[in-house]
C-alpha cells in the first residue's frame, strides 16, 4: 500500500494554546481512514491543517506533511489552492451553512472545475449534472438552478460531496459529514460515501465521533485524544484488540446488541478533557485513566503491536487484560 | 480588549470631562468678559501668530471680544445642548421603544411606524423651519432637537427590550406572578441601560453638531451668545485673511465630538467584552 | 415577496401621509400665518387682505384637506416669496441637489467600500485600527466647517477648484467631498462588520476548500453577502445626504433644493418649505423601498419568502 497522505508529528497551536501535539497518521491510496475522538480532541483542526485552512491565528508545524510525495509545508497559498478542490477535497459538518446562500448550486459546483480545469461554463455545468446524478440526486438538471435554501440538509450534503468530486480528487476529507443530519439521511449519506470510495478508488479521511460509523466505513482507524493520536490500527484489529485505555473506554460506551445484557449499564469515561497548555507533558488521559501511574506524567512510548497496530501508553501490551 | 481601545475610552472621557468642567466653571475660567466688545481691538491673532497680544491668548473676534473667553462660554453652550437634548430625546425614545418592545403586536407596529415616519423627515430642514417659526433661543433649539433625535433611542430600546423579555429569568419572573410594572422596572430597564448609554453618546455628538450647524445657518442659538457654530458663521467673512477665526471654534467642535465618539466606542467595547466574559 | 412589497408600499404611503400632516402642522406652529407673511410693518387691514388672498380665513380642517388634495396631484401651492408654483421651483432645482447627492454617494462608496474590506481582511491589526480611527474622525467633522476649510485650501490657496456657485462639474467636487464625509463612517463600519461576518462563515471555508482564488473568495463569495446591509444603509445615507444638502448648498452657494429651502425658511415662505419637506420625505421613502427591492435581487432567500 502506498501512502497518499502522510502526516508526521503534526503540531497545531492557536495563539499559544496547543490544539494538536505531535499527531501522526497515514492515509493510503484508495482506503478509508477514520479519525475518531470526542469533540475538542483536535480531529477537525488536523484535517484543516492538512488542507491549509487553519484560521489566521492558527500555526502548524510537522516533521512531515506530504501529499502524494509533495511536501505541503513547502507550498505557498497559491500552490496549495491549486491542490485544494482539485486533488484533495473536503466536505464539512454543516451542510446548512457550508454553501453560499447567494449563488445557485450549479454555479457553485461549476466554479470548481472552471478554476482548476479552465473549462467553459456549459461544460462545467454538464459535469455538475453528471456528479449530482452520481451522488443520487433526483432531477439534477433542476437542482443546478436552485439555491441552497431550497434544498434539504441531506440534499445539500450530497451537493457538497458532488462539488468535492468535481475534479476527481484522490483524497476526500470528510469532517463529520453526517452529524448534522437526520438518522435516516445519515445512513444514506454514509452508504453513498462508501460506494463512491469503492467505485472511484478514493482515499477518504473520515472524521467522526461515532464508532458505529467507524465500524461501517473504516479500513483503518486513528483514535485521537487531547491532541494526540493515542492508537492507530486496522479497523478489525482495533475493535478486536483495543490497547489504549481511552480506546477501550470509548468502545465500552457503545451498546452492541447481543454482547450487552439489557440491564447492564453502558460504560462511561469519568472526568473531562484536560486543558492542554504549551508545556503540558505526558499522557493527556492520565487524569481519567484507571491505569494511571506516576510515569504517565513523563514521556510516553509509542508501542507497536504488530506492523499495523500501535498505541501511545505506558502499559505493555500484556499488562492489561481487555 | 487590548490597551488601544481603553486608551480611546480614557482619552474620550478626558476630552468630554474637561469640556464639561470648562463649561460648568466658564465664568471663573474666562479671562475676559465674553460679551464685552472693543472695536479698537478687533481680530487680534492668537498666540502662535505675529501681532498677538499676551492678554488675548487666542486673539479677538471681529468685534474685539476675547476669543478664549468666547470659546469657554461656547463649551458651556455645547455641553448644555448636548446633555439636555439627550435627556429629552432619551425620555421620548426609551418610552416609545420599551412600550413597543414590551407589548409587541399592534402597539409595536405603531411604534415602528413612528420611527419610520420620523426617519423620513429631513432633520436639519425641519429643525431650521421650527426654529425660524417659533423664534430662535437656547430653549427652542434644545426642545426642537430633543423632539427630533429620539429615534435611535427608540430603535435600541425596542430591540433590547424584546431580547430581555424573552430571557429565561424574565420568563421566570412572569411565571412567578410578578406584576407588569415590576418586570418593566426591575428586570427590563436595568438591562437595557448599557446599550442606551452608547446611544446617548452618539446622540449627544449629533446634537452638538446639529446645534452648531443651525447656529452656523443663523437659526440656532441667537447672538451674542458664543455658540461655536455661530462663531464660525461670524468668522466666515474673515476666514480668507484670518483663517484662525474659523479654525479655533471648528477644531474645538471637532475635538469635542471626536472625544464623545471615542467615549461611545470605548463604552461599546467595554460592554461587549463584559457580556462575553 | 409580492406580499412583502405590498406591505412595504402601504407603509411608505402611510409615512408620506404622516409627513404631509406634519408639514402642514409645522407651518401653523407660528400661530397666525397671515401676520408672518405680511411682515412686521403691515397694518391690520393688510393682514386681512392676505388672509383672504391665501385662503387662510377658512376653517383649518378645510385648509388641510385642500392641501392634501392638491399635494396628491403634485400641486404644492404657490410660493409667497418667489411668486411661482412651488412644484416648478423644486423641479428647477432638484437636478442640482440630486447631482450633488449622487456625487457624494459615489465618493463615499469609493472610499468606504475598499477601506471597509481592507479593514475586515486585517481585523484587529494596525490597518484595521487606523481605518476605525478614520471613521471616528470623519464622524466628528462638522460638515460646514470642513466645507470652509476646503474652500480656503483648494479654492483660495491652491486655486484648484471654484469656491462657490454652480457652473461646471468642478463646482460639485468640494460639496461632494463634504457630503460624502457624512456618509463614509456608517458605510465603512457596516462594510467592515459585514465582511468580517462573511469571512468567518462556513461558505467561505468551503470556497477556500474548493481552492478558489483569493480575489474570487473575497469579491465574489464574501462581498456579495456583505453587500445587503450596505445597500440598505447606502440608501438611507443618500436620503440623509439630500436632507443635509441644505447646509452644504448654503455654504457653497449651490442653488439646489437645499438652498431653496434655506431661502424660503428665512423669507417665511411656508408653501415652499412644506413642499421641500414633503419631497425629501418621499425621496427618502422611495430610496428605502428601492434598497429593499435591490436586496431581494441580491438574496435569493428574500425572493422566495
Amino acid at each position: 500500500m502506498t501512502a497518499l497522505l502522510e502526516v508526521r508529528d503534526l503540531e497545531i497551536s492557536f495563539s499559544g494554546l496547543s490544539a494538536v501535539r505531535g499527531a501522526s497518521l497515514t492515509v493510503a491510496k484508495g482506503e478509508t481512514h477514520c479519525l475518531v475522538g470526542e469533540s475538542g480532541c483536535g480531529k477537525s483542526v488536523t484535517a484543516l491543517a492538512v488542507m491549509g485552512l487553519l484560521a489566521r491565528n492558527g500555526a502548524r508545524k510537522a516533521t512531515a506533511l506530504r501529499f502524494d510525495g509533495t511536501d505541503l509545508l513547502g507550498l505557498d497559498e497559491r500552490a496549495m489552492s491549486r491542490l485544494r478542490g482539485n486533488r484533495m477535497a473536503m466536505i464539512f459538518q454543516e451542510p446548512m451553512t457550508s454553501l453560499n446562500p447567494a449563488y445557485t448550486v450549479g454555479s457553485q459546483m461549476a466554479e470548481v472545475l472552471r478554476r482548476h480545469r479552465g473549462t467553459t461554463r456549459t461544460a462545467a455545468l454538464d459535469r455538475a449534472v453528471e456528479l449530482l446524478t452520481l451522488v443520487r440526486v433526483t432531477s439534477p438538471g433542476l437542482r443546478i438552478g436552485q439555491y441552497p435554501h431550497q434544498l434539504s440538509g441531506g440534499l445539500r450534503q450530497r451537493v457538497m460531496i458532488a462539488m468535492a468530486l468535481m475534479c476527481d480528487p484522490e483524497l476526500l476529507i470528510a469532517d463529520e459529514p453526517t452529524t448534522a443530519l437526520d438518522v435516516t439521511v445519515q445512513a444514506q449519506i454514509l452508504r453513498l460515501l462508501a460506494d463512491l470510495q469503492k467505485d472511484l478508488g478514493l482515499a477518504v479521511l473520515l472524521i467522526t465521533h461515532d464508532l458505529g460509523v467507524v465500524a461501517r466505513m473504516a479500513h483503518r482507524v486513528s483514535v485521537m485524544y487531547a491532541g494526540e493520536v493515542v492508537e492507530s490500527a486496522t479497523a478489525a484489529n482495533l475493535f478486536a484488540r483495543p490497547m489504549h485505555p481511552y480506546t477501550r473506554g470509548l468502545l465500552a460506551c457503545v451498546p452492541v446488541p447481543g454482547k450487552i445484557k439489557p440491564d447492564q449499564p453502558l460504560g462511561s469515561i469519568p472526568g473531562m478533557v484536560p486543558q492542554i497548555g504549551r508545556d503540558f507533558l505526558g499522557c493527556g488521559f492520565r487524569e481519567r485513566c484507571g491505569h494511571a501511574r506516576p510515569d504517565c506524567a513523563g514521556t510516553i512510548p509509542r508501542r507497536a503491536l504488530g506492523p499495523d497496530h500501535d498505541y501511545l501508553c505506558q502499559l505493555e501490551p500484556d499488562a492489561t487484560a481487555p | 480588549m487590548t490597551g488601544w481601545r481603553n486608551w480611546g475610552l480614557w482619552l474620550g472621557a478626558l476630552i468630554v470631562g474637561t469640556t464639561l468642567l470648562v463649561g460648568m466653571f466658564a465664568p471663573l475660567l474666562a479671562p475676559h468678559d465674553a460679551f464685552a466688545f472693543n472695536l479698537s481691538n478687533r481680530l487680534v491673532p492668537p498666540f502662535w501668530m505675529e501681532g498677538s497680544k499676551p492678554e488675548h491668548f487666542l486673539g479677538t473676534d471681529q468685534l474685539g471680544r476675547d476669543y478664549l473667553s468666547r470659546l469657554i462660554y461656547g463649551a458651556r453652550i455645547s455641553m448644555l445642548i448636548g446633555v439636555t437634548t439627550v435627556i429629552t430625546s432619551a425620555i421620548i425614545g426609551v418610552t416609545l421603544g420599551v412600550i413597543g418592545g414590551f407589548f409587541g403586536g399592534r402597539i409595536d407596529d405603531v411604534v415602528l411606524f413612528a420611527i419610520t415616519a420620523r426617519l423620513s423627515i429631513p432633520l436639519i430642514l425641519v429643525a431650521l423651519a421650527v426654529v425660524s417659526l417659533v423664534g430662535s433661543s437656547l430653549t427652542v433649539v434644545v426642545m426642537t432637537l430633543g423632539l427630533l433625535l429620539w429615534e435611535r433611542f427608540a430603535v435600541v430600546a425596542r430591540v433590547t427590550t424584546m431580547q430581555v423579555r424573552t430571557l429565561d429569568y424574565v420568563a421566570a419572573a412572569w411565571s412567578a406572578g410578578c406584576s407588569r410594572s415590576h418586570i418593566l422596572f426591575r428586570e427590563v430597564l436595568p438591562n437595557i441601560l448599557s446599550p442606551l448609554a452608547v446611544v446617548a453618546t452618539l446622540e449627544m455628538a449629533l446634537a452638538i453638531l446639529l446645534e452648531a450647524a443651525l447656529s452656523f445657518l443663523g437659526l440656532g442659538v441667537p447672538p451674542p451668545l458664543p455658540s461655536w457654530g455661530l462663531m464660525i458663521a461670524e468668522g466666515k467673512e474673515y476666514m480668507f485673511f484670518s483663517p484662525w477665526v474659523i479654525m479655533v471654534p471648528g477644531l474645538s467642535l471637532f475635538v469635542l465630538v471626536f472625544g464623545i465618539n471615542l467615549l461611545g466606542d470605548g463604552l461599546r467595547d467595554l460592554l461587549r467584552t463584559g457580556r462575553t466574559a | 415577496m409580492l406580499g412583502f412589497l405590498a406591505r412595504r408600499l402601504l407603509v411608505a404611503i402611510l409615512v408620506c401621509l404622516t409627513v404631509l400632516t406634519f408639514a402642514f402642522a409645522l407651518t401653523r406652529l407660528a400661530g397666525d400665518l397671515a401676520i408672518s407673511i405680511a411682515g412686521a410693518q403691515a397694518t391690520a387691514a393688510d393682514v386681512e387682505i392676505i388672509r383672504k388672498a391665501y385662503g387662510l380665513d377658512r376653517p383649518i380642517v378645510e385648509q388641510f384637506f385642500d392641501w392634501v388634495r392638491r399635494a396628491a396631484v403634485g400641486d404644492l401651492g404657490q410660493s409667497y416669496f418667489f411668486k411661482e408654483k412651488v412644484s416648478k421651483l423644486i423641479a428647477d432645482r432638484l437636478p442640482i441637489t440630486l447631482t450633488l447627492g449622487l456625487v457624494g454617494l459615489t465618493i463615499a462608496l469609493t472610499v468606504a467600500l475598499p477601506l471597509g474590506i481592507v479593514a475586515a481582511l486585517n481585523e484587529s491589526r494596525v490597518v484595521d485600527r487606523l481605518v476605525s480611527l478614520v471613521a471616528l474622525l470623519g464622524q466628528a467633522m462638522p460638515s460646514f466647517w470642513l466645507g470652509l476649510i476646503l474652500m480656503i485650501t483648494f479654492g483660495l490657496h491652491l486655486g484648484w477648484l471654484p469656491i462657490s456657485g454652480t457652473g461646471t462639474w468642478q463646482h460639485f467636487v468640494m460639496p461632494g467631498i463634504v457630503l460624502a464625509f457624512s456618509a463614509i463612517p456608517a458605510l465603512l463600519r457596516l462594510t467592515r462588520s459585514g465582511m468580517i461576518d462573511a469571512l468567518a462563515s462556513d461558505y467561505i471555508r468551503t470556497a477556500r476548500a474548493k481552492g478558489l482564488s483569493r480575489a474570487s473568495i473575497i469579491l465574489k463569495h464574501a462581498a456579495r453577502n456583505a453587500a445587503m446591509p450596505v445597500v440598505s444603509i447606502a440608501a438611507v445615507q443618500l436620503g440623509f445626504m439630500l436632507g443635509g444638502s441644505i447646509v452644504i448648498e448654503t455654504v457653497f452657494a449651490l442653488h439646489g433644493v437645499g438652498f431653496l429651502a434655506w431661502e424660503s425658511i428665512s423669507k417665511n415662505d411656508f408653501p415652499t418649505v412644506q413642499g421641500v419637506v414633503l419631497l425629501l420625505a418621499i425621496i427618502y421613502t422611495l430610496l428605502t423601498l428601492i434598497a429593499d427591492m435591490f436586496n431581494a435581487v441580491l438574496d435569493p432567500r428574500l425572493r422566495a419568502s
Side-chain angles (χ1 to χ4, degrees):
Chain A
M1 261 199 295
T2 37
L4 180 63
L5 176 70
E6 192 190 354
V7 180
R8 193 77 38 229
D9 304 317
L10 177 68
E11 286 174 35
I12 303 168
S13 61
F14 290 95
S15 330
L17 275 174
S18 220
V20 173
R21 24 182 215 131
S24 302
L25 59 93
T26 306
V27 182
K29 279 189 176 150
E31 80 165 16
T32 299
H33 190 129
C34 279
L35 193 54
V36 204
E38 54 198 290
S39 42
C41 71
K43 307 171 296 212
S44 294
V45 280
T46 300
L48 290 173
V50 169
M51 292 289 285
L53 292 178
L54 286 178
R56 211 172 60 189
N57 62 344
R60 66 174 185 187
K61 212 168 75 181
T63 51
L65 187 57
R66 270 192 287 272
F67 174 76
D68 201 21
T70 315
D71 179 17
L72 296 183
L73 292 171
L75 295 185
D76 61 5
E77 177 59 28
R78 281 175 69 94
M80 233 7 249
S81 75
R82 261 179 243 125
L83 278 181
R84 283 199 295 257
N86 188 7
R87 298 187 58 199
M88 49 202 283
M90 184 162 180
I91 59 175
F92 300 96
Q93 183 176 345
E94 305 85 3
M96 304 311 276
T97 51
S98 289
L99 289 166
N100 194 326
Y103 295 101
T104 59
V105 165
S107 94
Q108 292 187 61
M109 290 180 69
E111 69 181 340
V112 187
L113 209 63
R114 301 179 70 191
R115 158 81 173 159
H116 295 296
R117 299 276 193 271
T119 40
T120 62
R121 197 183 139 75
T122 356
L125 282 174
D126 287 346
R127 171 80 176 149
V129 172
E130 192 184 312
L131 275 165
L132 285 177
T133 318
L134 185 70
V135 299
R136 298 164 204 162
V137 168
T138 50
S139 48
L142 175 76
R143 297 300 180 197
I144 55 166
Q146 287 185 315
Y147 289 93
H149 73 270
Q150 294 167 296
L151 310 179
S152 67
L155 219 43
R156 283 189 221 188
Q157 197 59 293
R158 284 174 199 270
V159 169
M160 283 296 291
I161 295 171
M163 193 158 75
L165 298 177
M166 284 293 280
C167 289
D168 279 320
E170 289 135 88
L171 174 68
L172 175 68
I173 300 181
D175 186 0
E176 306 249 11
T178 57
T179 308
L181 303 173
D182 291 343
V183 182
T184 48
V185 183
Q186 279 187 13
Q188 293 167 8
I189 297 282
L190 283 176
R191 189 171 313 129
L192 173 68
L193 275 176
D195 291 351
L196 287 171
Q197 190 271 327
K198 218 181 300 155
D199 298 345
L200 304 175
L202 272 176
V204 177
L205 178 60
L206 178 64
I207 296 167
T208 179
H209 63 272
D210 185 343
L211 286 168
V213 172
V214 176
R216 286 187 51 181
M217 305 280 298
H219 298 119
R220 203 180 166 82
V221 187
S222 290
V223 181
M224 273 192 95
Y225 186 80
E228 286 176 311
V229 174
V230 294
E231 184 159 6
S232 184
T234 59
N237 277 346
L238 189 96
F239 282 102
R241 244 194 121 184
M243 294 310 297
H244 195 279
Y246 176 65
T247 316
R248 288 188 202 158
L250 267 187
L251 288 174
C253 299
V254 183
V256 182
K259 240 177 134 180
I260 193 164
K261 292 181 198 77
D263 299 338
Q264 188 185 334
L266 278 177
S268 65
I269 306 176
M272 303 237 302
V273 184
Q275 276 285 332
I276 306 291
R278 181 159 267 175
D279 42 5
F280 187 91
L281 191 68
C283 176
F285 190 59
R286 64 176 186 265
E287 308 268 299
R288 305 169 76 183
C289 180
H291 303 279
R293 317 190 304 215
D295 59 352
C296 288
T299 312
I300 313 290
R302 185 166 287 281
R303 300 178 186 279
L305 194 81
D308 268 346
H309 192 166
D310 58 65
Y311 66 102
L312 195 66
C313 187
Q314 291 288 11
L315 298 178
E316 300 282 344
D318 49 357
T320 51
Chain B
M1 266 290 163
T2 48
W4 192 90
R5 282 291 176 184
N6 275 327
W7 172 85
L9 179 68
W10 288 116
L11 181 65
L14 184 73
I15 293 171
V16 177
T18 312
T19 317
L20 196 65
L21 286 178
V22 166
M24 280 167 78
F25 298 108
L28 299 176
L29 290 170
H32 296 269
D33 183 345
F35 302 93
F37 49 88
N38 177 356
L39 291 179
S40 60
N41 212 11
R42 300 166 56 201
L43 289 168
V44 172
F47 69 94
W48 66 84
M49 290 173 70
E50 232 171 283
S52 63
K53 293 184 180 171
E55 69 269 27
H56 295 297
F57 189 63
L58 288 179
T60 60
D61 70 2
Q62 69 285 353
L63 295 176
R65 295 173 293 197
D66 182 55
Y67 229 43
L68 178 60
S69 307
R70 289 187 70 73
L71 202 67
I72 289 172
Y73 272 91
R76 185 177 213 171
I77 289 176
S78 280
M79 291 311 281
L80 192 72
I81 298 262
V83 172
T84 41
T85 303
V86 163
I87 293 173
T88 321
S89 53
I91 292 173
I92 302 172
V94 173
T95 311
L96 279 176
V98 168
I99 288 176
F102 191 75
F103 295 101
R106 287 258 175 268
I107 298 176
D108 188 36
D109 288 345
V110 172
V111 169
L112 209 54
F113 180 77
I115 294 172
T116 317
R118 157 54 203 94
L119 277 171
S120 70
I121 288 171
L123 191 62
I124 301 185
L125 181 49
V126 168
L128 280 173
V130 171
V131 174
S132 150
L133 285 162
V134 183
S136 66
S137 77
L138 206 55
T139 328
V140 171
V141 172
V142 166
M143 288 317 292
T144 310
L145 292 181
L147 287 172
L148 285 172
L149 290 180
W150 50 266
E151 91 281 352
R152 207 162 358 187
F153 279 108
V155 169
V156 173
R158 178 176 165 272
V159 172
T160 33
T161 305
M162 281 176 166
Q163 284 166 354
V164 170
R165 201 177 57 148
T166 53
L167 289 178
D168 286 344
Y169 65 87
V170 178
W174 275 119
S175 48
C178 293
S179 71
R180 237 177 212 178
S181 62
H182 175 92
I183 289 173
L184 209 52
F185 288 101
R186 286 295 176 78
E187 313 288 354
V188 174
L189 270 185
N191 277 291
I192 66 172
L193 281 183
S194 38
L196 288 178
V198 178
V199 176
T201 62
L202 284 171
E203 292 304 309
M204 185 168 166
L206 187 59
I208 289 174
L209 280 179
L210 276 175
E211 179 274 322
L214 294 186
S215 299
F216 174 78
L217 291 175
L219 285 168
V221 177
L225 280 179
S227 150
W228 289 346
L230 193 57
M231 286 167 79
I232 296 174
E234 288 168 349
K236 209 176 96 182
E237 285 171 50
Y238 310 93
M239 72 177 186
F240 288 122
F241 311 102
S242 327
W244 56 267
V245 291
I246 66 156
M247 289 311 285
V248 169
L251 263 179
S252 312
L253 197 56
F254 176 67
V255 170
L256 173 60
V257 174
F258 179 62
I260 298 173
N261 286 337
L262 269 183
L263 186 67
D265 255 31
L267 273 181
R268 179 168 47 211
D269 287 340
L270 206 67
L271 298 172
R272 193 183 294 149
T273 45
R275 209 172 295 152
T276 49
Chain C
M1 181 64 204
L2 275 177
F4 165 75
L5 268 188
R7 212 165 36 245
R8 282 288 284 101
L9 204 63
L10 183 72
V11 172
I13 291 167
L14 278 175
V15 164
C16 289
L17 279 175
T18 313
V19 175
L20 209 66
T21 317
F22 177 81
F24 179 81
L26 187 66
T27 55
R28 312 291 141 153
L29 265 178
D32 198 333
L33 260 184
I35 297 176
S36 313
I37 300 164
Q41 291 87 25
T43 62
D46 293 342
V47 172
E48 263 327 296
I49 293 167
I50 286 176
R51 198 189 307 276
K52 280 238 158 49
Y54 289 109
L56 294 170
D57 52 345
R58 296 172 298 161
I60 194 119
V61 180
E62 195 187 317
Q63 288 182 46
F64 173 67
F65 281 109
D66 190 44
W67 142 246
V68 172
R69 198 166 41 77
R70 287 163 182 271
V73 294
D75 178 6
L76 297 169
Q78 192 81 13
S79 159
Y80 300 161
F81 176 72
F82 297 98
K83 313 289 178 207
E84 254 191 280
K85 273 195 163 308
V86 172
S87 45
K88 180 167 186 313
L89 276 173
I90 291 178
D92 286 348
R93 304 192 179 206
L94 194 58
I96 290 179
T97 302
L98 287 182
T99 311
L100 180 59
L102 289 175
V103 169
L105 185 69
T106 310
I107 297 175
L109 289 173
T110 327
V111 174
L113 297 187
L115 275 186
I117 293 175
V118 167
L121 290 174
N122 294 285
E123 192 192 347
S124 305
R125 297 210 188 117
V126 179
V127 182
D128 183 26
R129 304 250 190 257
L130 281 178
V131 170
S132 301
L133 193 65
V134 168
L136 269 179
L137 289 173
Q139 225 172 343
M141 188 71 80
S143 60
F144 57 93
W145 184 59
L146 178 65
L148 296 180
I149 291 177
L150 290 184
M151 275 162 104
I152 296 176
T153 326
F154 294 105
L156 184 74
H157 288 300
L158 297 171
W160 290 353
L161 293 163
I163 286 176
S164 65
T166 331
T168 63
W169 64 268
Q170 283 105 325
H171 284 99
F172 287 94
V173 176
M174 283 198 285
I177 291 174
V178 176
L179 208 50
F181 244 81
S182 61
I184 285 174
L187 285 171
L188 186 56
R189 281 164 191 250
L190 223 69
T191 308
R192 176 182 172 274
S193 61
M195 278 302 281
I196 286 176
D197 288 348
L199 286 171
S201 67
D202 288 340
Y203 56 80
I204 290 301
R205 191 180 56 185
T206 308
R208 292 179 65 206
K210 279 153 75 175
L212 299 183
S213 69
R214 198 171 149 78
S216 165
I217 291 170
I218 294 165
L219 297 176
K220 186 177 170 193
H221 284 272
R224 169 88 174 248
N225 285 285
M228 281 177 269
V230 176
V231 167
S232 301
I233 209 73
V236 168
Q237 289 293 332
L238 182 58
F240 288 168
M241 277 196 231
L242 295 177
S245 67
I246 187 166
V247 179
I248 286 138
E249 287 182 9
T250 312
V251 170
F252 289 98
L254 271 177
H255 288 249
V257 173
F259 196 83
L260 174 70
W262 188 71
E263 275 181 300
S264 43
I265 285 173
S266 45
K267 297 287 190 287
N268 281 340
D269 185 2
F270 307 108
T272 315
V273 179
Q274 271 178 343
V276 177
V277 169
L278 187 63
L279 172 87
L280 288 175
I282 291 173
I283 291 181
Y284 175 87
T285 311
L286 273 180
L287 282 172
T288 51
L289 207 62
I290 291 170
D292 282 352
M293 289 195 276
F294 198 72
N295 274 339
V297 174
L298 277 181
D299 188 349
R301 284 166 296 185
L302 278 177
R303 245 176 285 160
S305 58

